[in-house]
Amino acid sequence: MESGPAIFAGSAFTLFGGALLAWTAMRLRHREPVALGVNPVASATLAGLASAGALVLAAWCFARA
């Protein structure tokens, strides 16, 4: 019964992290800015770290389920 919320949270983190990583990769591939008015390297790095963090949280949630 307690594994239901962990699976739901893990799925949400997986979808968010994967989508953010794919979106960032496509923006960089097309040489478009990830965030307007911000250093391109800094914004891509921050988006990459956020997506990696979400995927790590997803793995942690799935390990607890």
Side-chain angles (χ1 to χ4, degrees):
M1 188 62 107
E2 293 179 8
S3 66
I7 291 171
F8 176 76
S11 299
F13 281 126
T14 300
L15 287 173
F16 175 74
L20 182 60
L21 187 62
W23 180 80
T24 303
M26 291 306 296
R27 297 292 287 186
L28 292 174
R29 179 175 289 175
H30 293 295
R31 300 205 186 270
E32 296 175 356
V34 176
L36 294 175
V38 181
N39 184 354
V41 175
S43 63
T45 302
L46 186 61
L49 288 174
S51 63
L55 292 173
V56 166
L57 280 173
W60 181 75
C61 287
F62 286 135
R64 307 249 323 151

